[in-house]
Amino acid sequence: MPRIRPTTRKALLTLHLVTSLGWLGTDLVLLTLGIAVQRGADPAVVYPVTALIGTVLFAPLSVLVWLIGVASSLLTPWGLLRHRWVLVKLVLTTVMVGLVLFLLTPNLRHAGAVGAALPARDRADLVIAPAVSTSLMIIATVLSTYKPWGRRRTAAATVAGRGRATARP
């Protein structure tokens, strides 16, 4: 594992936090706009805005969060596959990025193009998706804060094996 300086590690952590908060904030804006349409706001006005936010902010931020998170885990002692909480965050974030890029963003663009002609079922999807995404982001935040479950068995065995190998004269 490459070692990085503490200032570089802190810079990566800060960048990860800022992009994650941006992703969460954008998610909450999309949720708010989706709820606004459900409560009577004009979809011809709201949906083009959601399409713009999804394309310009949401999709790029999701990719940045994933890239910076992977880089941070690879360059710090946490590792990418050493701890269960990191692995769960990686899986959650990877699934969310895939859904954002291949499902939500195209749906937002479609909604922006058709506006008020968007069927009611599709309108509900534009509320449900950001609500689920926000919930998953909160779970990822809790995992980062509490770091539950400890090391994976293979990672713990590898670390223990290294410790024994270096302890011998």
Side-chain angles (χ1 to χ4, degrees):
M1 167 187 56
R3 294 280 181 198
I4 60 173
R5 297 182 333 192
T7 53
T8 306
R9 185 187 59 77
K10 288 177 184 177
L12 269 174
L13 177 61
T14 301
L15 193 56
H16 188 57
L17 287 170
V18 167
T19 55
S20 297
L21 288 170
W23 189 8
L24 179 60
T26 305
D27 218 353
L28 290 170
V29 167
L30 290 174
L31 177 60
T32 303
L33 291 171
I35 291 170
V37 169
Q38 295 291 329
R39 297 194 60 177
D42 185 1
V45 173
V46 173
Y47 286 149
V49 172
T50 62
L52 181 66
I53 290 169
T55 303
V56 174
L57 285 175
F58 200 57
L61 280 170
S62 67
V63 172
L64 276 173
V65 167
W66 188 88
L67 288 172
I68 295 165
V70 168
S72 295
S73 65
L74 290 173
L75 296 172
T76 62
W78 292 114
L80 192 58
L81 302 174
R82 286 191 188 112
H83 297 272
R84 288 183 186 94
W85 68 270
V86 175
L87 187 57
V88 170
K89 272 188 66 173
L90 174 65
V91 170
L92 279 176
T93 307
T94 302
V95 168
M96 288 191 328
V97 168
L99 291 173
V100 165
L101 294 178
F102 301 113
L103 189 62
L104 184 59
T105 302
N107 287 348
L108 291 171
R109 286 186 185 137
H110 175 68
V114 299
L118 191 69
R121 183 187 61 80
D122 293 341
R123 290 180 186 195
D125 288 345
L126 296 180
V127 173
I128 294 168
V132 169
S133 180
T134 297
S135 300
L136 292 175
M137 297 256 335
I138 291 169
I139 290 169
T141 302
V142 169
L143 290 173
S144 296
T145 303
Y146 289 96
K147 299 171 181 48
W149 309 313
R151 287 184 181 263
R152 292 180 50 239
R153 285 180 196 241
T154 55
T158 304
V159 170
R162 278 193 221 141
R164 276 187 239 118
T166 57
R168 292 181 189 159

